[in-house]
Amino acid sequence: MKKKLLLAYGSSIFLLMASMWLAVSMGSVDVPFSAIWDQEGNPRAYSILWNIRMPRAVLAGLVGAALAIAGAAFQGLLRNPLADPYTIGVSSGASVGAISTIFFGISLPVLGPYTLAVFGIIGAFLTLLIVLVFARLVDKSMKMETLILTGVIFSSFLGSCISLLTALSHEELKAVVGWLLGSVAMRGWSYVNILVPFLVIGFFILWLNRRELNVMMYGDERAASLGVDVVRRRYAILVGGSVLTGAAVSVSGTIGFVGLVVPHITRMIWGADHRHLLPLSFLNGASLLIVCDLVSRTIVAPQELPLGVVTAFVGAPVFAYIFFKQRRK
């Protein structure tokens, strides 16, 4: 068992380090390894690495990690292999908050460039609150089926709001569409600083509930019989996953399939124990999105593909294969 865990963490860390190095070294200008510390020897390469490529790669990794952890938690909580950060409408809420900021040209003096991210996070939390209140009114026991259906209802409604704002956009249309397709380009270290606190908070909440997630996978009744406060833990996991999703979506736009595919693959290879599934999903989600971002900016250079398009091209066939293989079994 220890050898398997060492292999799991060792290979995941190696993949993350390799993807990071490829992301910062490859591009229109090759950046040597020495540029990491040698500012005087090659100031141009040093500037490109630390001001452009490194913050972009780090932000892509953090967004991928956040979405993958949230996906792993939602799949375990809802006991549904199709669950991901978009299932209960949190991502749609963050999207509405961010697009509204672009559409109405909102820029608060106190927040400045952080206005978009903050409004996205607020939209995610308001959506989660509404979904939980509505599901509670429908079913006081808060069954999984009720949560999923409530999430589908509000996701559909919020999706129509996004379409309406997009249709009404004129001068803002390019910015709105670009944000909807997802990107981590030209964000800089400031967006990394926005995301990190929420990533730490969300991961900490889910990590505290890792053992409860293992038990709740077998059903609410069995979890309750083992002494788990099901409703309270469910609220905590939903809040933790929503913090991660809202923060990730608010800084990068809509990026699909990461929270769906990464936990699946990690679970298939290394097992379903959330004590290790969560941190391994963190590492593998970061690696996947860093590589996808590298592909998005190099495959049709000098033009750049939207990151959400690349993840869809990669994630959809992989998920289709996993789904087909599991159903055949």
Side-chain angles (χ1 to χ4, degrees):
M1 184 63 181
K2 289 183 178 180
K3 289 183 178 180
K4 183 179 179 180
L5 289 176
L6 285 173
L7 179 61
Y9 284 100
S11 59
S12 298
I13 292 171
F14 174 78
L15 287 174
L16 178 57
M17 294 176 64
S19 62
M20 275 293 294
W21 173 242
L22 289 174
V24 299
S25 62
M26 293 181 64
S28 57
V29 177
D30 291 331
V31 176
F33 186 76
S34 60
I36 295 176
W37 64 84
D38 188 10
Q39 182 176 4
E40 295 181 358
N42 197 338
R44 182 166 177 261
Y46 184 90
S47 178
I48 291 172
L49 191 150
W50 286 105
N51 296 325
I52 299 175
R53 292 187 186 173
M54 186 66 78
R56 178 170 181 163
V58 171
L59 184 61
L62 294 178
V63 169
L67 293 175
I69 300 168
F74 283 140
Q75 287 173 12
L77 176 67
L78 302 177
R79 302 190 296 279
N80 188 335
L82 297 176
D84 74 341
Y86 300 84
T87 302
I88 60 173
V90 174
S91 175
S92 298
S95 298
V96 170
I99 291 173
S100 298
T101 306
I102 298 172
F103 182 81
F104 294 107
I106 301 172
S107 180
L108 300 179
V110 178
L111 299 175
Y114 303 130
T115 303
L116 179 67
V118 170
F119 270 76
I121 294 168
I122 291 173
F125 272 107
L126 287 176
T127 303
L128 175 64
L129 180 63
I130 294 170
V131 167
L132 291 177
V133 169
F134 187 83
R136 183 75 174 175
L137 290 173
V138 174
D139 183 2
K140 290 185 178 181
S141 63
M142 293 280 289
K143 293 181 180 177
M144 291 298 99
E145 295 82 0
T146 306
L147 270 175
I148 293 173
L149 290 174
T150 303
V152 170
I153 292 169
F154 281 93
S155 290
S156 300
F157 173 74
L158 293 171
S160 64
C161 293
I162 293 170
S163 299
L164 176 63
L165 291 173
T166 305
L168 294 175
S169 299
H170 297 290
E171 296 178 0
E172 309 87 1
L173 181 60
K174 185 176 180 180
V176 169
V177 172
W179 190 89
L180 284 173
L181 294 175
S183 175
V184 291
M186 304 306 292
R187 297 294 198 268
W189 290 110
S190 60
Y191 277 79
V192 174
N193 295 333
I194 292 173
L195 181 55
V196 166
F198 294 99
L199 178 62
V200 172
I201 293 169
F203 182 81
F204 182 69
I205 292 172
L206 296 182
W207 180 251
L208 290 177
N209 292 277
R210 62 194 184 280
R211 291 185 174 86
E212 285 74 13
L213 271 169
N214 285 339
V215 177
M216 293 169 72
M217 286 177 61
Y218 298 101
D220 294 348
E221 293 182 1
R222 184 170 182 181
S225 67
L226 293 173
V228 176
D229 188 341
V230 175
V231 175
R232 182 180 176 185
R233 294 294 181 174
R234 188 177 297 151
Y235 279 135
I237 294 166
L238 287 171
V239 169
S242 299
V243 169
L244 292 167
T245 305
V249 170
S250 66
V251 299
S252 66
T254 306
I255 297 175
F257 287 100
V258 176
L260 194 64
V261 172
V262 172
H264 259 302
I265 297 175
T266 306
R267 191 181 292 108
M268 288 173 60
I269 298 175
W270 306 117
D273 186 348
H274 285 85
R275 293 176 299 172
H276 304 293
L277 179 62
L278 293 177
L280 288 173
S281 294
F282 180 103
L283 297 170
N284 295 324
S287 301
L288 175 64
L289 205 60
I290 290 170
V291 172
C292 287
D293 181 56
L294 174 62
V295 171
S296 74
R297 65 179 175 83
T298 56
I299 194 169
V300 291
Q303 291 184 325
E304 194 170 300
L305 289 176
L307 184 53
V309 172
V310 177
T311 58
F313 269 114
V314 173
V318 172
F319 182 72
Y321 171 75
I322 295 170
F323 184 68
F324 176 77
K325 190 174 180 180
Q326 287 188 343
R327 287 299 180 186
R328 285 296 297 269
K329 286 183 179 179

